[in-house]
């Protein structure tokens, strides 16, 4: 941070300190949202932002937490400016902390431009409709909920599920596919040092680090800093996408920690809480993060987001998960039962979804039969899961012939289609496998498939015509 | 112009004092940045203002100015085909001004001021006119004649009126008291536009979606809600309705929803054809886009902006459909602002006036006799100048739980309930409307129309299909316990037929070029085929083994009826029915 003597206004009249908030006596000309520097009696600096300005008090939120602040010795400097980040292409390969300071000991980055981290809403008429798919090499994702460039597609799973491993499998494959073109921006909020080591090693081993920027707020770093971290990451992503024309993949983990930090500030401000103590504006706040994914008309780059969120108690109705689902364009869920049964990646396909999928698949993109065969797999798998429950009660003898076929399908679907392990499959391989799975089921049951596709793509059954 | 100063800034709510004569709901300009806002609370000498834009950078002591007027939308030719934000700023113009990202304080006229429109006068010198009377028209789009109506508060004898090319700011004529007549007018969004009276809603809004047209119809002037968890297809449903319903004008409000979804509408509508007129759909559409990351106060406003535009076209005698996606975001905006005002919260933190706000909004729908004289050139009388606003509101209940306040309060008002079901969505049964929980209260009033247009058989067949689905639900509970094999043959058959109803009739792809729209007559044939097939099967029961019962002519063709071309489906449908009828007889003979 630059020399604090240059700041216009120093202020020493602290009234109260509560949680991450400092309440000050009012002074003139303080702007809402202004960045402040707080210096405690030992000369230590902390960053902060103005949350409320009134004739009676000014409320400042302290990013690094209010530990060690007092009423007498602490000074607050108002910078007259909003929170910004310096950006440059030299950021590639670097690791920063949750408030944007270098963490890797390699010194400051000389910025090419400075941008406010809040971002402005993208004018809806300037958005380009996403239309290119991204091959992840994961059969269930590519076939059933295809990731599209410019999309925001979160991954959710309960505690203990391999969220990180699935994320890295996708990220590594996407990077490999793109050559050196793709930039990965990684924002870790409240992640443990174990997770940090895992991610760092994976980035390094796969050679992805050179084209990545990492922002890391660890579990023992200041909670409030987490409010900044995703915004720093997204401002950097927009810089690479729209200034430099690169395709950018942003990984945000873990959004639950972010929301909890927001809750902490809200309760310190004594705001009226919404569901589970989260502030009423959680939806609006999350949307200012997620909506920064997209593509701009007439520009080269794109921002694709994969936010990761732990699902507390496996509860899909948890407010953070629920509100995320209403903003993002689909979701990928991990399943505990598949994980226990040893399948990797343990993706729960029934509730998973990609809303933009139809824009990026089909003729000249993946293949003309993609939509229909995907729907057919869904229908059978849903039916198969119901039948499995039924079998548990009445035994498999009670099932009809067709139903037995569908139960067989369901087992093969989980063994072969979902349980692909670490290997990566091309879309042709995945499509081929899909058709192979349904080949034994009578035609009259294949209601989602058109004749022309069946003729063209159905593998010939051994020895039989019809 | 009255003026005061800012005393406090807290997110989108700003407090100010010393504004002499300010009224609640007045529009104000806040701070040096010139941000727009609206007065929502008056407390002693202080007022609270909901600001439509981000308030970063405002300071205490900056000025607040007001013209002493509420927020008004501008109404006139040029609305159709335009995309607005929640406070009626045209987004294309804003883009030209401030680039790809919306900057604060940007202002732009809602209507193009320079464009000259060909005005055709229909009123004459000496005519007495008052509020609502039509004085002429403009061809706004190839299919929509935009009638120019006398604004509220203006009446008298016309002294001068001339056809010709005018901008919206040039007078097309004047009254004897020198009041100028122009093509545009303004209206406060929170006040419903008046009409002579509301009349019964007895004509359906044909949507081309079988689940609605057949099972849960909605009339022109009615209102419906679509609640459902995320991923259940609310937005696809809303977009399908906006595309295919037989309204004259569509107002689509994207209230706090995803940017990419608005882009989908913006990208697709100009290329899609109105199935009735062949003109691009955009020609009949006004979009109000206030995506989730755009300021929350403007989101609250966007619903009112949308409905006011809808009422304006209704007043010309058009059938207007308004889609609000999603009303939950609007309710949440109310909650957020209420929280900032530190109001005492009601249920789940929503303000206690949530129920009355929702009711007020849905009650602005309806079929009305418009104010003013008859439509010029029409052979219909003044009391047959009928317009309607149909409101379809999406609701996004947290966790898909319909017991939450927004769903429950909307249910009390809405005439049709189209409940989306996550389980159906998981098995990719779209539209994922649950046929057992959904309802339409309009069946009775619409019966006459169906009987007249599609024969009395139509409603009767609907009832039969509903009974099959109802019975299926009961049987499924038994199957869960004892398995399907232990059912009697007639019950097994019912389950198989019910599956046909679900898969081949209720399921409808919004993305297939033919399937996306299904004329009601085609639905009629499809129902007929399914029921005929059912009858044939029943007649074979007990005569041949159950396994063979379903294998008879037509079985596999029923599922392809949906793909019969929409312009010539009658012949193949009739042929299929004939084939099936003959097959049924053969089967009976063979047995």
């Amino acid at each position: 941070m630059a020399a604090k003597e240059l700041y216009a206004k120093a202020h020493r009249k602290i009234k109260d300190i509560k949680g991450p908030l400092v309440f000050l006596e009012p002074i003139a000309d303080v702007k809402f949202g202004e960045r402040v520097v707080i210096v405690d009696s030992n000369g230590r600096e902390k960053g902060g932002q103005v949350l409320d300005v009134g004739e009676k008090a000014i409320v400042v939120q302290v990013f690094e937490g209010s530990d060690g602040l007092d009423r007498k010795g602490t000074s607050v400097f108002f910078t007259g400016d909003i929170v910004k980040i310096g950006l440059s292409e030299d950021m590639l390969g670097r690791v920063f902390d949750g408030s944007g300071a270098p963490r890797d000991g390699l010194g400051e980055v000389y910025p090419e431009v400075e941008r406010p981290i809040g971002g402005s809403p993208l004018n809806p008429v300037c958005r380009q409709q996403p239309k290119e798919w991204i091959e992840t090499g994961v059969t269930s994702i590519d076939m059933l909920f295809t990731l599209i460039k410019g999309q925001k597609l979160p991954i959710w799973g309960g505690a203990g599920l391999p969220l990180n491993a699935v994320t890295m499998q996708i990220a590594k494959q996407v990077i490999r596919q793109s050559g050196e073109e793709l930039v990965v921006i990684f924002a870790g909020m409240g992640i443990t040092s174990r997770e940090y080591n895992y991610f760092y090693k994976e980035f390094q081993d796969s050679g992805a680090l050179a084209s990545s920027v990492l922002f890391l707020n660890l579990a023992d770093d200041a909670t409030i800093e987490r409010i900044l971290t995703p915004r720093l990451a997204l401002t950097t992503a927009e810089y690479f996408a729209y200034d430099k024309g690169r395709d950018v993949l942003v990984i945000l983990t873990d959004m639950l920690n972010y929301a909890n930090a927001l809750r902490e500030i809200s309760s310190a401000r004594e705001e009226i809480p919404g569901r589970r103590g989260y502030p009423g504006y959680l939806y609006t706040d999350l949307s200012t993060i997620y909506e920064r994914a997209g593509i701009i008309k007439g520009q080269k780059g794109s921002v694709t987001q994969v936010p990761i969120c732990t699902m507390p108690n496996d509860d899909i109705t948890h407010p953070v998960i629920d509100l995320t689902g209403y903003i993002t364009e689909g979701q990928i869920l991990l399943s505990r039962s598949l994980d226990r049964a040893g399948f990797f990646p343990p993706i729960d396909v029934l509730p998973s979804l990609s809303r933009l999928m139809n824009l990026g698949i089909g003729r000249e993109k993946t293949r003309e039969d993609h939509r229909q065969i995907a729907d057919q797999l869904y229908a059978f798998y849903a039916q198969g899961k119901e039948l499995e429950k039924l079998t548990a009660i009445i035994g498999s003898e009670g099932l009809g012939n067709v139903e037995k076929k569908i139960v067989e399908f369901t087992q093969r679907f989980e063994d072969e289609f979902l349980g692909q392990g670490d290997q990566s499959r091309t879309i042709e391989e995945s499509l081929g496998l899909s058709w192979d799975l349904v080949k034994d089921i009578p035609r009259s049951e294949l209601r989602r498939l058109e004749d022309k596709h069946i003729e063209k793509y159905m593998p010939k059954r051994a020895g039989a015509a019809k | 112009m009255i003026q005061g100063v800012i005393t406090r800034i807290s997110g989108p709510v700003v407090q100010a004092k010393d504004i002499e004569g300010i009224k609640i709901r007045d529009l104000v300009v806040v701070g040096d940045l010139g941000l727009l806002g609206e007065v929502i609370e008056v407390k002693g000498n202080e007022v609270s203002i909901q600001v439509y834009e981000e308030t970063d950078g405002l300071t205490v002591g900056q000025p607040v100015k007001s013209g002493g007027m509420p927020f008004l939308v501008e109404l006139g030719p040029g609305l159709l085909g335009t995309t607005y934000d929640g406070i009626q700023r045209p987004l294309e113009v804003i883009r030209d001004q401030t680039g790809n990202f919306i900057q604060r304080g940007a202002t732009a006229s809602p209507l193009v001021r320079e464009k000259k429109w060909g005005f055709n006068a229909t009123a004459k010198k000496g005519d007495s006119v008052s509020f609502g009377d039509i004085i002429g028209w403009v061809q706004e789009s190839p299919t929509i004649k935009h009638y120019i109506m006398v604004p509220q508060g203006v009446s008298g004898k016309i002294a001068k009126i001339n056809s010709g090319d005018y901008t919206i700011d040039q007078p097309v004529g004047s009254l004897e008291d020198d009041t100028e007549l122009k093509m545009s007018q303004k209206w406060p969004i929170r006040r419903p536009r008046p009409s002579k009276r509301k009349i019964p809603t007895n004509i359906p809004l044909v949507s081309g979606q079988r689940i609605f047209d057949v099972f849960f119809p909605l009339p022109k002037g009615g209102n419906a809600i679509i609640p459902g968890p995320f991923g259940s297809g609310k937005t696809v449903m809303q977009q399908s309705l906006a595309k295919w319903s037989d309204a004259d004008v569509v107002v689509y409000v994207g209230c706090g929803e995803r940017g990419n979804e608005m882009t989908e509408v913006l990208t697709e509508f100009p290329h899609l054809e109105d199935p009735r007129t062949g003109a691009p759909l955009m020609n009949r559409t006004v979009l109000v886009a206030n995506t989730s990351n755009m300021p929350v106060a403007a989101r609250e406003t966007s619903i009112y902006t949308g409905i006011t535009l809808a009422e304006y076209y209704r007043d010309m005698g058009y059938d207007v459909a308004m889609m609000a996606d999603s009303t939950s975001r609007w309710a949440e905006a109310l909650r957020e602002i209420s929280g900032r005002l530190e109001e005492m919260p009601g249920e789940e933190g929503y303000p206690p006036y949530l129920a009355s706000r929702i009711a007020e909004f849905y009650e602005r729908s309806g079929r009305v006799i418009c104010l003013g004289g008859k439509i010029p050139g029409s052979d219909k009388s003044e009391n047959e100048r009928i317009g309607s606003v149909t409101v379809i509101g999406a609701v996004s209940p947290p966790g898909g739980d319909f017991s939450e306040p927004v769903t429950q309060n909307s249910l009390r008002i809405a005439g049709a309930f189209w409940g989306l079901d996550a389980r159906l969505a998981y098995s990719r049964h779209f539209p994922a409307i649950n046929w057992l929980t959904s309802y339409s209260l309009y069946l009775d009033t619409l019966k006459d129309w169906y009987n007249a247009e599609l024969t009395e058989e139509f409603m009767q067949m609907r009832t039969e299909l509903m009974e099959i689905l109802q019975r299926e639900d009961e049987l499924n509970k038994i199957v869960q316990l004892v398995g399907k094999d232990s059912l009697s043959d007639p019950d097994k058959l019912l389950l198989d037929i019910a599956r046909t109803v679900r898969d081949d009739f209720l399921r409808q792809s919004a993305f297939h070029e033919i399937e996306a729209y299904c004329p009601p007559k085609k639905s009629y044939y499809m129902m007929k085929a399914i029921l005929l097939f059912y009858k044939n099967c029943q007649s074979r029961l007990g005569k041949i083994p159950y396994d063979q019962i379903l294998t008879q002519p037509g079985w596999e063709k029923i599922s392809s009826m949906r793909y019969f071309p929409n312009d010539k489906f009658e012949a193949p449908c009739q042929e299929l029915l004939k084939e099936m009828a003959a097959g049924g007889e053969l089967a009976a003979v063979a047995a």
Side-chain angles (χ1 to χ4, degrees):
Chain A
M1 263 166 212
K4 56 189 175 290
E5 291 75 31
L6 294 177
Y7 298 143
K9 290 158 273 177
H11 192 65
R12 279 176 174 263
K13 287 180 190 161
I14 293 178
K15 288 207 297 193
D16 306 312
I17 303 166
K18 192 166 70 175
L21 303 183
V22 173
F23 296 75
L24 305 161
E25 301 271 346
I27 52 164
D29 293 335
V30 172
K31 292 179 187 149
F32 180 77
E34 183 169 346
R35 186 167 68 86
V36 299
V37 177
I38 299 136
V39 183
D40 69 12
S41 37
N42 299 325
R44 255 185 335 152
E45 287 184 8
K46 291 167 186 274
Q49 191 176 11
V50 176
L51 272 192
D52 197 324
V53 205
E55 282 186 324
K56 299 188 189 83
I58 292 168
V59 185
V60 169
Q61 103 187 18
V62 188
F63 295 134
E64 289 91 343
S66 53
D67 295 9
L69 299 186
D70 65 350
R71 289 188 59 185
K72 286 255 170 60
T74 303
S75 327
V76 179
F77 295 86
F78 291 87
T79 62
D81 205 352
I82 51 179
V83 183
K84 286 182 175 169
I85 178 175
L87 298 161
S88 138
E89 281 187 292
D90 297 339
M91 292 170 85
L92 289 176
R94 297 292 305 271
V95 184
F96 300 88
D97 70 9
S99 58
R103 182 173 205 125
D104 49 11
L106 297 175
E108 295 278 341
V109 171
Y110 182 73
E112 180 194 329
V113 283
E114 279 201 331
R115 295 270 159 81
I117 65 163
S120 302
L122 180 55
N123 188 329
V125 300
C126 300
R127 268 186 192 274
Q128 168 71 49
Q129 187 173 34
K131 53 175 190 278
E132 282 176 58
W133 71 294
I134 300 176
E135 187 161 5
T136 65
V138 179
T139 298
S140 50
I141 297 177
D142 289 347
M143 276 303 300
L144 302 175
F145 19 92
T146 319
L147 179 63
I148 305 293
K149 206 180 266 182
Q151 186 176 23
K152 39 198 179 289
L153 188 63
I155 303 180
W156 301 334
L161 292 177
L163 276 167
N164 297 339
V166 173
T167 310
M168 277 320 295
Q169 190 186 13
I170 297 170
K172 281 193 294 192
Q173 170 69 12
V174 172
I175 293 163
R176 196 177 313 139
Q177 283 281 331
S178 75
E180 291 293 291
E181 282 312 297
L182 188 87
V183 173
V184 176
I185 311 285
F186 182 93
M189 291 150 281
I191 59 172
T192 61
S193 46
R194 181 179 47 74
E195 287 171 306
Y196 165 63
N197 288 332
Y198 170 79
F199 281 119
Y200 193 80
K201 188 170 177 304
E202 288 281 319
F203 269 102
Q204 214 168 23
D205 291 355
S206 62
L209 193 61
S211 54
S212 305
V213 184
L214 279 63
F215 291 91
L216 295 166
N217 164 283
L218 297 192
D220 54 353
D221 289 343
T223 325
I224 303 310
E225 212 175 74
R226 285 167 207 165
I227 304 291
L228 297 180
T229 316
R231 296 186 164 85
L232 294 168
L234 285 161
T235 310
T236 313
E238 284 167 358
Y239 164 78
F240 280 106
Y242 307 133
D243 289 29
K244 303 293 164 194
R246 307 281 290 266
D247 287 325
V248 183
L249 176 72
V250 183
I251 298 172
L252 306 167
T253 180
D254 180 325
M255 287 306 288
L256 185 69
N257 295 336
Y258 169 82
N260 288 347
L262 204 63
R263 176 165 68 179
E264 206 176 312
I265 296 171
S266 169
S267 81
R269 291 183 72 187
E270 296 175 5
E271 288 172 339
I272 293 163
R275 285 201 299 152
R276 299 221 191 160
Y278 290 100
Y281 48 81
L282 181 61
Y283 175 84
T284 306
D285 191 277
L286 288 174
S287 73
T288 58
I289 293 175
Y290 298 137
E291 276 293 332
R292 290 172 80 173
I295 309 174
I296 296 181
K297 269 186 197 160
Q299 297 211 19
K300 240 184 100 199
S302 65
V303 177
T304 310
Q305 274 188 35
V306 179
I308 295 160
C309 194
T310 303
M311 208 155 68
N313 203 19
D314 291 4
D315 176 12
I316 198 170
T317 67
H318 185 276
V320 179
I321 298 288
D322 190 55
L323 294 177
T324 298
Y326 277 120
I327 306 166
T328 54
E329 285 131 356
Q331 65 275 339
I332 296 175
L333 260 85
L334 302 191
S335 149
R336 199 169 288 281
S337 60
L338 286 174
D339 184 52
R340 281 200 191 118
F343 293 110
F344 186 85
I347 293 176
D348 196 355
V349 298
L350 292 181
S352 298
L353 168 77
S354 162
R355 288 164 187 276
L356 301 184
M357 173 172 176
N358 287 331
L359 301 173
I361 63 167
R363 192 173 303 149
E364 287 168 21
K365 289 170 177 168
T366 54
R367 213 167 74 183
E368 53 178 347
D369 55 322
H370 189 155
R371 180 75 257 171
Q372 291 191 355
I373 185 74
D375 282 348
Q376 190 63 69
L377 293 177
Y378 259 118
F380 284 151
Y381 188 57
Q383 200 185 343
K385 288 313 255 185
E386 289 292 317
L387 288 172
E388 276 183 2
K389 278 185 225 157
L390 186 61
T391 317
I393 302 169
I394 59 166
S396 57
E397 305 80 48
L399 298 180
N401 281 335
V402 173
E403 287 161 340
K404 280 181 189 147
K405 292 266 186 232
I406 288 174
V407 171
E408 274 169 34
F409 162 87
T410 308
Q411 280 157 6
R412 279 191 70 201
F413 183 83
E414 289 183 352
D415 288 344
E416 299 172 32
F417 189 92
L418 297 182
Q420 74 180 92
D422 277 337
Q423 56 158 321
S424 134
R425 288 194 193 125
T426 65
I427 187 70
E428 285 76 21
E429 287 166 347
S430 296
L431 279 161
L433 175 62
S434 307
W435 279 96
D436 193 62
L437 291 177
V438 301
K439 72 171 189 289
D440 291 330
I441 296 172
R443 168 67 184 104
S444 60
E445 295 300 311
L446 301 172
R447 290 162 180 237
R448 312 288 168 110
L449 303 174
E450 278 184 78
D451 288 331
K452 57 176 185 189
H453 294 327
I454 293 187
E455 276 162 34
K456 199 162 166 192
Y457 298 111
M458 182 70 87
K460 293 287 169 279
R461 288 172 213 179
K466 189 189 170 183
Chain B
M1 188 66 73
I2 45 184
Q3 192 166 340
V5 291
I6 296 177
T7 56
R8 184 180 170 200
I9 307 127
S10 171
V13 173
V14 165
Q15 264 138 22
K17 64 175 181 186
D18 301 336
I19 318 179
E20 205 65 46
I22 193 86
K23 300 184 294 296
I24 205 119
R25 290 294 176 199
D26 274 358
L27 187 73
V28 289
V29 178
V30 179
D32 298 334
L33 292 162
L35 311 179
L36 288 178
E38 188 176 27
V39 175
I40 50 174
E41 193 181 57
V42 178
K43 216 178 195 174
N45 189 28
E46 284 212 333
V47 295
S48 297
I49 298 158
Q50 95 180 34
V51 182
Y52 299 136
E53 294 171 275
E54 297 297 334
T55 50
D56 284 11
L58 288 181
T59 66
V60 169
Q62 284 185 350
V64 172
K65 295 174 197 159
S66 173
M69 292 283 280
F71 178 63
L72 307 167
V73 287
E74 188 166 28
L75 305 165
L79 292 168
L80 293 177
T82 310
T83 307
Y84 294 106
D85 73 354
I87 48 173
Q88 216 202 2
R89 292 185 299 193
L91 287 172
E92 275 117 348
V93 180
I94 295 287
R95 172 195 56 201
D96 297 342
Q97 282 180 7
T98 71
N100 292 324
F101 294 92
I102 300 173
Q103 303 302 323
R104 292 180 298 160
T107 51
S109 156
L111 299 173
V112 183
R113 307 230 83 85
E114 307 81 36
K115 176 162 178 173
K116 288 204 164 179
W117 296 89
F119 173 75
N120 301 279
T122 53
K124 299 181 303 295
K125 185 179 173 190
D127 284 358
S128 280
V129 293
S130 61
F131 182 29
D133 284 333
I134 293 171
I135 55 167
W137 54 270
V138 162
Q139 195 73 45
E140 187 179 3
S141 83
T143 49
I144 297 288
K145 265 188 191 173
H146 188 116
Y147 295 103
I148 307 298
M149 295 175 285
V150 177
Q152 191 172 38
V154 174
S155 69
K157 273 195 175 160
I158 294 180
K160 197 175 78 182
I161 187 164
N162 289 308
S163 297
D165 292 344
Y166 300 95
T167 69
I168 52 169
D169 291 321
Q170 291 169 331
V172 297
S174 61
L175 299 181
E176 283 179 349
D177 62 0
D178 289 338
T179 310
E180 288 183 338
L181 294 169
K182 290 182 185 169
M183 289 194 283
S184 71
Q185 53 177 292
K186 292 189 171 178
W187 192 265
I189 56 168
R190 292 178 197 275
R191 202 162 84 224
R193 282 177 63 89
S195 60
K196 274 186 198 142
R197 64 169 193 274
K198 283 195 175 180
I199 56 171
T201 51
N202 51 18
I203 299 171
L205 183 81
V206 175
S207 63
Q209 312 299 308
R210 288 187 289 268
I211 183 94
F212 301 144
D213 289 347
V214 177
F215 275 24
F216 310 110
L218 175 67
K220 292 191 170 115
N223 49 44
I225 61 167
I226 316 184
F230 57 80
S232 56
K234 282 183 299 294
T235 300
V236 175
M237 223 50 266
Q238 289 273 38
Q239 291 186 2
S240 290
L241 288 164
K243 284 175 194 166
W244 308 120
S245 65
D246 64 341
D248 299 310
V249 173
V250 169
V251 179
Y252 191 99
V253 182
C255 173
E257 285 289 303
R258 304 175 179 87
N260 276 333
E261 279 172 358
M262 284 321 294
T263 308
E264 208 169 316
V265 175
L266 287 167
T267 315
E268 284 180 5
F269 275 35
H271 303 293
L272 288 170
E273 279 181 8
D274 184 337
R276 296 174 308 147
T277 61
L281 277 177
M282 207 60 197
N283 284 351
R284 64 165 198 182
T285 309
V286 188
L287 293 171
V288 179
N290 214 89
T291 55
S292 57
N293 58 338
M294 287 159 76
V296 66
R299 189 194 309 164
E300 196 268 330
T301 317
S302 63
I303 289 278
Y304 296 101
T305 300
I307 192 106
T308 309
L309 299 178
E311 284 173 340
Y312 175 64
Y313 281 97
R314 173 203 70 188
D315 290 345
M316 299 176 202
Y318 289 119
D319 291 317
V320 186
M322 172 186 167
M323 283 79 193
D325 186 16
S326 144
T327 57
S328 291
R329 304 294 160 239
W330 166 61
E332 277 159 16
L334 280 178
R335 173 167 72 182
E336 190 170 331
I337 291 156
S338 163
R340 304 264 186 194
L341 287 175
E342 291 162 14
E343 289 176 338
M344 189 68 82
E347 235 180 316
E348 288 194 18
Y350 286 104
Y353 45 80
L354 176 70
S356 55
R357 290 282 166 87
I358 289 179
E360 279 165 21
F361 165 65
Y362 280 105
E363 275 303 288
R364 287 176 77 167
S365 66
R367 191 156 172 261
V368 303
I369 299 178
C370 310
L371 279 184
K374 63 178 257 185
I375 292 176
S378 151
D379 45 10
K380 290 181 177 161
S381 76
E382 170 179 325
N383 279 336
E384 288 171 315
R385 178 171 153 196
I386 290 170
S388 69
V389 172
T390 314
V391 172
I392 301 160
V395 184
S396 319
D401 169 17
F402 290 176
S403 69
E404 59 90 41
V406 183
T407 315
Q408 284 305 314
N409 285 314
S410 307
L411 268 177
R412 240 170 275 163
I413 314 295
F417 166 71
W418 299 332
L420 291 163
D421 190 323
R423 268 189 38 237
L424 289 173
Y426 288 175
S427 60
R428 298 309 185 259
H429 175 107
F430 288 115
I433 308 263
N434 185 316
W435 47 88
L436 295 173
T437 56
S438 301
Y439 60 79
S440 163
L441 300 177
Y442 298 110
L443 279 170
D444 272 350
T445 47
L446 292 174
K447 205 156 58 196
D448 291 340
W449 185 92
Y450 279 99
N451 289 349
E453 299 284 323
L454 295 156
T455 75
E456 290 185 12
E457 232 182 330
F458 192 90
M459 277 290 146
Q460 203 183 320
M461 290 196 293
R462 172 197 181 272
T463 315
E464 284 178 46
L465 291 189
M466 261 321 237
E467 275 167 11
I468 291 174
L469 292 171
Q470 187 69 45
R471 180 86 183 115
E472 181 200 26
D473 188 51
E474 291 160 17
L475 286 175
N476 271 339
K477 284 177 194 145
I478 300 173
V479 172
Q480 304 256 306
L481 294 175
V482 296
K484 196 176 166 187
D485 267 2
S486 42
L487 291 182
S488 68
D489 284 356
D491 284 347
K492 273 190 216 163
L493 177 61
L494 187 128
L495 286 186
D496 281 324
I497 296 296
R499 201 156 57 95
T500 306
V501 176
R502 284 190 278 114
D503 276 0
D504 297 335
F505 187 73
L506 292 183
R507 205 161 53 77
Q508 186 173 357
S509 164
F511 303 106
H512 192 283
E513 51 183 332
I514 295 172
E515 254 279 88
Y517 177 80
C518 178
K521 190 78 200 230
K522 191 159 136 188
S523 308
Y524 165 83
Y525 281 119
M526 291 172 79
M527 284 199 281
K528 214 169 155 90
I530 292 170
L531 288 169
L532 180 60
F533 181 75
Y534 187 28
K535 217 177 92 203
N536 284 350
C537 292
Q538 278 174 320
S539 72
R540 302 170 105 195
L541 276 176
K543 295 173 187 154
I544 46 175
Y546 184 76
D547 286 355
Q548 293 165 25
I549 282 187
L550 294 174
T551 55
Q552 54 159 309
W555 170 235
E556 284 180 6
K557 279 195 192 150
I558 289 180
S559 61
S560 60
M561 289 182 84
R562 58 175 72 213
Y563 301 122
F564 289 173
N566 284 335
D567 49 349
K568 36 180 190 259
F569 59 85
E570 299 249 2
C573 282
Q574 277 163 358
E575 200 178 309
L576 177 63
L577 284 172
K578 224 197 262 168
E579 189 187 331
M580 287 172 68
E585 279 160 28
L586 278 179
V589 171

